Amino acid sequence: MLSTEAIATAKLETRYITKVDIHHESDDCIRIAYQWLDAQTKIQGATKKSRPLKHIIEAWGGRYVSQNDVEVAAHMHPDVFGSYPHFNIASRLVEPSATRLDDIAEANTQLGYRERSKPEKTYSSKE
């Protein structure tokens, strides 16, 4: 589990794409994004393919996640590099196990996000 202190430090160190209106609703949003990124297959270089990663992560995590949350999670992950949305993750996405959310209090707490999820269209495989 990512500590509050580690997340606070990462928020200060992250190079955000936009320098204005940086938004973090909760540290749990960063934890959700981190878990999603962790489950993905890593590749040698940053992908050129653009995807709405924050929306994909929201649908899996069952709550709002900002682009800035995803940027911090990627900064914290030792195996992820690149800039949003062009990280070094394979184009064939892996649906993370729901058990990754078990210790994240705010996961699956906002109605509507899970209902919008279409895992069969988004993911190539399951963890």
Side-chain angles (χ1 to χ4, degrees), residues 39-126:
Q40 302 311 305
T41 302
K42 311 311 178 284
I43 58 176
Q44 293 294 321
T47 183
K48 292 178 173 46
K49 184 173 183 169
S50 290
R51 288 182 274 234
L53 295 179
K54 80 170 233 71
H55 299 297
I56 294 169
I57 295 168
E58 287 171 341
W60 174 72
R63 98 168 304 293
Y64 174 82
V65 173
S66 73
Q67 176 180 316
N68 299 138
D69 294 328
V70 179
E71 290 173 305
V72 172
H75 173 77
M76 294 183 78
H77 199 290
D79 300 324
V80 175
F81 61 85
S83 59
Y84 187 92
H86 305 286
F87 298 119
N88 64 317
I89 58 174
S91 60
R92 296 173 53 91
L93 299 178
V94 175
E95 182 179 8
S97 169
T99 60
R100 287 179 170 271
L101 300 171
D102 286 350
D103 294 328
I104 302 175
E106 292 186 26
N108 295 312
T109 58
Q110 294 179 338
L111 297 176
Y113 287 99
R114 277 297 219 184
E115 291 74 22
R116 284 185 250 168
S117 178
K118 299 208 177 352
E120 66 281 353
K121 292 185 179 186
T122 304
Y123 299 104
S124 297
S125 62
K126 291 183 178 206

Side-chain angles (χ1 to χ4, degrees), residues 19-38:
K19 303 290 185 224
V20 294
D21 298 329
I22 293 171
H23 177 72
H24 299 289
E25 207 167 299
S26 162
D27 286 353
D28 275 356
C29 299
I30 295 167
R31 291 180 182 106
I32 290 167
Y34 185 96
Q35 287 300 323
W36 187 90
L37 288 167
D38 191 56

